[in-house]
Amino acid sequence: MEITVQTASKSYPIFIKSNALDELATVIQKNKFTNLLIITDETVGRLHLDTLRSALKDTVDYSVFTVPSGEEAKQMSVFESCLTFALEQGLDRKSCFIAFGGGAVGDLAGFVAATYMRGISFIQVPTTILAHDSAVGGKTAINHPLGKNMIGAFHQPEAVIYHTEFIKTLPDHEVRSGFTEAVKHALIADPVLLSMLMDNIIDLHEMTDEQLIHVLQRGMEIKANIVSIDEKESGLRAVLNLGHTLGHVIESHLGYGKTTHGEAVMIGIIYALHVSKEMLGLSFPVDRFEEWVKRLGYKIELPQDLTFEKVYEGMQRDKKTIAKCPRFILLEAPGKPVLKEVEENLLEKVYEVMIEQS
């Protein structure tokens, strides 16, 4: 399966199949890169680096830089170390970074590529379900102690090579993390997909390869369509942030890496659905949705030590916020997302109800 992402700045392919790495050598040769720097993490490097090396064959010289696994990779110190290594290896403006790992590695390596010599090429080779979302669209970033993804740039890859065989080694929490983004895509853009998921996926371990690839493919198509219209999140693209406003606050509160991105966002999605019911009269069966995700293994309780005051401070730092007034992606109905400024008292009311139920 090949999907084309067309943005104002660049057009590039997404290859999604069990043997997608077969496309890597062709992409490298087509672009005539002088050399490569693979940025991967400790876990992915141990499990899959030999597979990537085999796919590279003798196309071009390359080196490897290994970073910590998970959100620990997205620190300023790690970002600087990547730049230093790239300079030491003599990368030039015709070189290319390969982001080999999950969403955190993709965010980091993409930001390194965006800033090295004012921007050089990179290729996304995602290894997680979560990265079917983060690898597409050119958002790159590292974290700041006061907020997630607050330091970054828009920088589109040359290609996304999604070798789905890598997914089979994921632990349960990473499967849940990635599946959240698939659910998000269905909620904002595809009610038919949402119904299929809720009716047919009752155990994430029992998804067939055909079901998984369909879900990933549809999610990437949805994101590619949105990014094609709004590359730099000036309008429509914000709908991809459903659940992220509270989700990012939870991640920051617990400490990056203490929970997965997707598991925190799932709580944020449920919060946004409840706010949508209160503010927009959403008729979607939120209770049934909550029971479904709990059956899939999600913990949807809010942290008991996370007060609304702390939550609201975090919401005010969200990138969608204007003049310290939080704006949320809400649903009028499945497939009909809207961006709305929400009053503090309504946000608090919904939050306190969820805390009581946690």
Side-chain angles (χ1 to χ4, degrees), residues 2 11 13 24-33 94 158:
E2 182 176 344
S11 175
L24 182 57
T26 301
V27 171
I28 292 169
Q29 290 166 345
K30 177 182 176 181
N31 286 278
K32 298 180 180 178
F33 296 125
K94 286 296 293 177
E158 297 301 318

Side-chain angles (χ1 to χ4, degrees), residues 89-104:
Q89 297 301 309
L91 268 69
D92 57 39
R93 289 187 171 177
K94 286 296 293 177
S95 300
C96 178
F97 291 94
I98 294 182
F100 185 46

Side-chain angles (χ1 to χ4, degrees), residues 54-354:
S54 297
L56 287 171
K57 302 173 184 175
D58 297 320
T59 51
V60 67
D61 291 338
Y62 65 87
S63 52
V64 179
F65 189 74
T66 302
V67 301
S69 298
E71 292 292 320
E72 290 185 18
K74 293 170 60 175
Q75 302 179 60
M76 184 64 74
S77 59
V78 178
F79 167 70
E80 184 178 2
S81 295
C82 290
L83 291 171
T84 299
F85 188 79
L87 288 165
E88 291 171 345
Q89 297 301 309
L91 268 69
D92 57 39
R93 289 187 171 177
K94 286 296 293 177
S95 300
C96 178
F97 291 94
I98 294 182
F100 185 46
V105 166
D107 284 353
L108 168 71
F111 187 44
V112 174
T115 51
Y116 186 80
M117 295 188 174
R118 299 192 178 92
I120 70 171
S121 297
F122 82 112
I123 297 170
Q124 289 272 19
V125 184
T127 60
T128 66
I129 298 175
L130 178 67
H132 89 280
D133 179 77
S134 60
V136 179
K139 274 189 175 182
T140 72
I142 56 175
N143 298 330
H144 188 279
L146 293 179
K148 185 178 171 71
N149 295 333
M150 285 297 178
I151 305 166
F154 289 95
H155 190 58
Q156 302 293 343
E158 297 301 318
V160 179
I161 297 177
Y162 204 144
H163 187 80
T164 56
E165 286 296 301
F166 290 142
I167 294 171
K168 295 179 179 179
T169 62
L170 291 175
D172 289 352
H173 63 276
E174 287 294 344
V175 174
R176 287 192 297 270
S177 183
F179 191 73
T180 296
E181 298 292 349
V183 173
K184 177 198 75 176
H185 291 139
L187 281 165
I188 64 173
D190 194 338
V192 174
L193 176 62
L194 180 61
S195 294
M196 185 279 284
L197 294 176
M198 293 182 67
D199 291 342
N200 297 306
I201 307 299
I202 58 174
D203 187 330
L204 294 179
H205 294 288
E206 294 180 1
M207 273 195 297
T208 66
D209 289 348
E210 182 179 330
Q211 285 176 323
L212 178 59
I213 289 179
H214 172 67
V215 169
L216 297 176
Q217 173 191 324
R218 186 69 190 109
M220 294 173 105
E221 288 173 345
I222 289 168
K223 183 157 189 184
N225 288 338
I226 291 172
V227 170
S228 296
I229 297 168
D230 180 15
E231 180 178 6
K232 296 190 176 180
E233 203 170 81
S234 58
L236 175 65
R237 185 169 177 171
V239 302
L240 292 163
N241 283 304
L242 176 68
H244 286 61
T245 306
L246 177 58
H248 283 170
V249 174
I250 293 171
E251 280 188 273
S252 178
H253 171 73
L254 294 177
Y256 297 125
K258 301 299 183 184
T259 186
T260 65
H261 171 72
E263 289 173 308
V265 166
M266 183 59 80
I267 299 173
I269 287 174
I270 291 169
Y271 180 71
L273 292 176
H274 282 293
V275 173
S276 297
K277 286 186 71 173
E278 290 284 335
M279 187 171 178
L280 303 176
L282 173 69
S283 62
F284 178 72
V286 180
D287 291 345
R288 182 190 165 213
F289 181 84
E290 290 183 6
E291 290 302 315
W292 174 59
V293 299
K294 285 195 288 187
R295 187 173 180 181
L296 295 177
Y298 289 92
K299 306 294 184 185
I300 63 172
E301 297 79 14
L302 290 164
Q304 287 294 316
D305 63 339
L306 181 54
T307 65
F308 178 75
E309 288 73 22
K310 291 180 181 177
V311 166
Y312 195 70
E313 287 177 8
M315 290 175 176
Q316 289 178 311
R317 289 194 288 267
D318 183 84
K319 292 185 289 296
K320 295 183 296 301
T321 293
I322 302 295
K324 294 191 175 181
C325 296
R327 298 191 301 166
F328 274 71
I329 304 304
L330 304 176
L331 292 186
E332 293 181 338
K336 294 184 178 179
V338 290
L339 178 61
K340 292 284 188 180
E341 186 174 309
V342 185
E343 295 292 333
E344 181 180 354
N345 61 349
L346 177 56
L347 293 173
E348 183 174 12
K349 174 185 174 182
V350 174
Y351 189 82
E352 294 302 333
V353 170
M354 287 184 64

